[in-house]
Amino acid sequence: MAIRTLDDLDAADAAVGVRVDINSPLAEDGTLADDARLRAHVDTLDELLDRGARVAVLAHQGRPGGDEFARLEPHADRLDELLDNPVSYCDATFSAEARDAVDALDSGTAVLLENTRFYSEEYMEFPADRAAETFLVARLAPVLDAFVNDAFAAAHRSQPSLVGFPELLPSYAGRVMETELDVLGAIEETPTPRTYVVGGAKVPDSVTVVEHALANDLADHVLVTGVVANVFLTAAGVDIGHTSTEFVHDRGYETEIERADDLLYEYGNHIHVPQDVAVERDGERVELGVEELPPGRDEPVQDVGSDTVDAYADILSETGTAVLNGPAGVFEEEAFAAGTRGIFEAATEAEYTIVGGGDTAAAIRQFGLSGFEHVSTGGGAALRLLTGESLPAVEALR
């Protein structure tokens, strides 16, 4: 069944609940440190408001007990600045106060309701029919005429505000959700050859991406970096040193080493591992060829080296589609940003470049890079799509 989009919604004077993902880093004083996720939803919200909808915005911020588990008032203030139409804030999510705030909306205005995760059931996952019975959904749905899910970044979760409303209301994909599904769900239609750059520290998910891409002929080349590369190097018999090896084993990645070994055996000609790495020695960046490993006992691998960047850039220069998922090292530290920066810059030379993952997008913003055809708003959700798995929030829309 096809998913309905905003093109199918008669928005004029309709009360529309819109789930977005504006979960953002916060400064020490509680203000927004980065508004990229808010800006991503501007098109969806402005379109609905311009068409005369009365919009109740639903969102979460942080995790219970975490430093960034906070109210959404700063988000409402920033949305009010970003949108062409007024946005107010309500210090409630589904109570009588929240319902009254929705009922009081004029056409073309919006209210951002309070952090959905302040309500305990929202931090749990349910089947869609059970999610529809939770207090949040059952109490709020009666004052809404329709539901729009634009929260692609959270679409891999089955929480009430994501999957419950479609059980009770006509439901639609917002523009962010629509674009993400169109792009990430149609990798096989992009220009060839395709090169996947897979890095970061989410090793199990990343190894699954590699496996899926190669088994389904989606990737002609896979370039591994980051902790993912450490796992593949270990599988190839390279001693990455005590500290990096301990990191891999402390996280229980022994099974991932075995999976990497199997993938190297079956697809070795398509998988490229680093030729050199960078470690910190006496406060300086030192690059070591793979043949020079292991490094010193307390010298973890923090980046790929310049020879690896050059080798990967050569492959990317002849690539039709590049898929970037995960940084090459500790890019937040200037001494170890060179690998991520160099590889990502090289990827812009591909005919078509897709960026997936929160850390990947953060690195691109940090380096001020441009020239990417699609920068995904999602991390876990993007990985799910790239591995061919379904997303609960998307299935609910069907």
Side-chain angles (χ1 to χ4, degrees):
M1 181 187 298
I3 293 174
R4 291 178 293 188
T5 69
L6 298 191
D7 296 334
D8 305 302
L9 172 60
D10 183 5
D13 205 37
V16 182
V18 183
R19 179 61 158 94
V20 296
D21 191 327
I22 52 177
N23 186 28
S24 304
L26 302 180
E28 289 186 5
D29 62 359
T31 59
L32 293 170
D34 186 335
D35 68 355
R37 282 196 161 174
L38 285 79
R39 286 185 280 107
H41 294 289
V42 164
D43 288 348
T44 293
L45 295 173
D46 261 340
E47 179 177 346
L48 286 168
L49 294 168
D50 288 345
R51 289 164 57 185
R54 298 179 294 116
V55 175
V57 184
L58 290 154
H60 72 274
Q61 172 64 47
R63 300 184 178 190
D67 292 338
E68 297 188 334
F69 191 49
R71 301 170 65 206
L72 295 183
E73 189 169 12
H75 305 65
D77 291 342
R78 183 60 180 138
L79 282 174
D80 189 50
E81 296 169 353
L82 291 170
L83 299 179
D84 295 332
N85 298 274
V87 179
S88 59
Y89 163 73
C90 178
D91 187 17
T93 307
F94 60 87
S95 65
E97 181 184 354
R99 297 193 298 272
D100 288 346
V102 176
D103 282 335
L105 287 170
D106 294 323
S107 295
T109 64
V111 59
L112 176 59
L113 301 178
E114 188 54 279
N115 189 340
T116 57
R117 288 186 178 174
F118 282 1
Y119 171 55
S120 60
E121 281 188 316
E122 175 67 5
Y123 200 62
M124 302 164 67
E125 302 206 22
F126 301 92
D129 58 347
R130 175 67 184 88
E133 298 173 353
T134 60
F135 284 99
L136 187 155
V137 178
R139 297 282 180 88
L140 193 59
V143 298
L144 300 174
D145 299 308
F147 174 70
V148 171
N149 195 339
D150 210 32
F152 173 77
H156 57 305
R157 305 192 184 282
S158 187
Q159 294 165 336
S161 69
L162 294 160
V163 302
F165 288 104
E167 294 284 307
L168 304 177
L169 298 167
S171 296
Y172 308 83
R175 296 308 185 196
V176 170
M177 181 74 78
E178 180 185 4
T179 300
E180 296 276 15
L181 297 178
D182 285 347
V183 174
L184 297 178
I187 294 290
E188 70 277 3
E189 299 173 13
T190 57
T192 57
R194 297 187 198 95
T195 300
Y196 278 53
V197 182
V198 182
K202 295 179 179 178
V203 174
D205 288 342
S206 296
V207 174
T208 300
V209 169
V210 174
E211 185 175 40
H212 178 79
L214 292 171
N216 291 279
D217 296 323
L218 296 176
D220 299 282
H221 302 280
V222 173
L223 317 180
V224 294
T225 65
V227 181
V228 180
N230 287 350
V231 167
F232 274 86
L233 285 169
T234 301
V238 175
D239 186 348
I240 58 174
H242 172 78
T243 304
S244 294
T245 299
E246 188 175 51
F247 181 91
V248 168
H249 286 285
D250 282 350
R251 278 152 184 75
Y253 290 159
E254 290 84 357
T255 300
E256 305 311 318
I257 295 172
E258 294 173 6
R259 292 175 68 198
D261 187 36
D262 292 340
L263 289 169
L264 287 169
Y265 177 79
E266 189 165 358
Y267 303 106
N269 292 335
H270 300 278
I271 301 173
H272 305 264
V273 299
Q275 299 177 8
D276 57 352
V277 300
V279 301
E280 182 177 351
R281 182 175 294 169
D282 299 326
E284 300 290 334
R285 175 189 174 101
V286 175
E287 296 190 358
L288 302 172
V290 170
E291 70 281 354
E292 299 176 83
L293 296 177
R297 180 178 176 84
D298 296 319
E299 296 177 346
V301 174
Q302 308 232 49
D303 194 12
V304 297
S306 54
D307 288 346
T308 300
V309 172
D310 291 344
Y312 285 7
D314 287 343
I315 295 170
L316 289 165
S317 69
E318 299 179 356
T319 288
T321 300
V323 180
L324 304 182
N325 199 287
V330 188
F331 71 90
E332 299 88 348
E333 297 182 20
E334 182 56 34
F336 300 104
T340 302
R341 182 189 289 113
I343 293 170
F344 286 8
E345 284 178 344
T348 65
E349 300 302 316
E351 183 179 346
Y352 190 83
T353 305
I354 297 170
V355 176
D359 288 342
T360 315
I364 286 169
R365 291 195 298 273
Q366 176 178 313
F367 300 141
L369 299 179
S370 59
F372 305 97
E373 279 64 36
H374 180 70
V375 179
S376 177
T377 58
L383 281 171
R384 281 275 192 100
L385 273 191
L386 291 173
T387 56
E389 293 186 54
S390 62
L391 301 173
V394 174
E395 294 309 308
L397 290 175
R398 295 188 195 282

